[in-house]
């Protein structure tokens, strides 16, 4: 089919990742943020992986500036078909799925970082990113191991 007059026939392919309206309210409610995400604020969510793209358990995630809500980072259960907020993971971090969420975050730039522990129980930097929170939206950040540009200079 010919392109309409004045259009070069170009297209953009975009595969969005979305959540349902019910998840937008249910996840905060089951995470003790019963009032929900404040209108005009957003959320940051994603997964923590290692350099081989394997999901990591027991990783912790935090942001700066910190979210407005004083609750913990939300970590999810390891049920791959229906991961739910798991409040018992607050002190342990991510489950086998490596999933997390920061709720009620002010819009604008934010730095987010993930840390874990190696076999010797030493803290290991798993990655950090500069992201942007958009009002009434979820920003996704998946850590895929520390990148060369994130390594400290020696």
């Amino acid at each position: 089919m010919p392109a309409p007059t004045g259009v070069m026939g170009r297209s953009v392919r975009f595969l969005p990742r979305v959540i349902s309206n019910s998840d937008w309210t249910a996840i905060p409610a089951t995470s003790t943020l019963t009032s929900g995400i404040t209108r005009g604020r957003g959320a940051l969510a994603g997964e923590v992986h290692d350099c081989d793209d394997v999901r990591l358990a027991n990783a912790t995630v935090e942001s700066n500036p910190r979210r407005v809500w004083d609750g913990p980072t939300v970590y999810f259960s390891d049920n791959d078909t229906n991961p739910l907020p798991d409040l018992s993971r607050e002190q342990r971090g991510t489950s086998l799925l490596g999933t997390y969420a920061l709720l009620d975050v002010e819009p604008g730039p934010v730095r987010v970082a993930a840390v874990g522990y190696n076999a010797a129980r030493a803290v290991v930097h798993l990655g950090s990113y500069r992201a942007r929170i958009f009002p009434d939206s979820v920003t996704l950040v998946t850590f895929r191991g520390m990148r060369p540009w994130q390594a400290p200079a020696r």
Side-chain angles (χ1 to χ4, degrees):
M1 180 160 112
T5 305
V7 176
M8 301 295 286
R10 296 181 185 165
S11 64
V12 174
R13 184 175 183 165
F14 181 71
L15 300 173
R17 295 178 76 181
V18 298
I19 66 168
S20 68
N21 287 335
S22 61
D23 282 346
W24 179 257
T25 56
I27 290 172
T30 57
S31 302
T32 71
L33 180 57
T34 54
S35 60
I37 296 171
T38 306
R39 190 170 204 59
R41 292 188 185 140
L44 188 139
E47 297 177 356
V48 181
H49 297 224
D50 67 9
C51 295
D52 290 326
D53 211 20
V54 175
R55 295 174 180 174
L56 289 177
N58 304 316
T60 57
V61 178
E62 194 53 80
S63 68
N64 184 21
R66 200 169 187 281
R67 60 205 164 275
V68 177
W69 176 52
D70 198 29
T73 299
V74 177
Y75 300 106
F76 292 81
S77 67
D78 57 8
N79 181 338
D80 198 22
T81 58
N82 188 27
L84 298 171
D86 183 351
L87 301 180
S88 72
R89 299 211 63 88
E90 180 180 344
Q91 298 299 318
R92 295 181 290 159
T94 57
S95 71
L96 294 173
L97 297 180
T99 51
Y100 72 92
L102 302 169
L103 307 175
D104 215 30
V105 183
E106 285 288 350
V110 64
R111 292 184 62 88
V112 60
V115 297
Y117 297 93
N118 65 14
R121 301 295 300 152
V123 175
V124 176
H125 178 232
L126 300 172
S128 57
Y129 290 94
R130 290 184 178 134
R132 178 165 294 279
I133 305 299
F134 295 94
D136 306 311
S137 300
V138 178
T139 299
L140 295 177
V141 173
T142 296
F143 296 93
R144 298 199 189 278
M146 190 171 72
R147 301 301 189 214
W149 50 268
Q150 295 173 326
R154 291 185 183 226

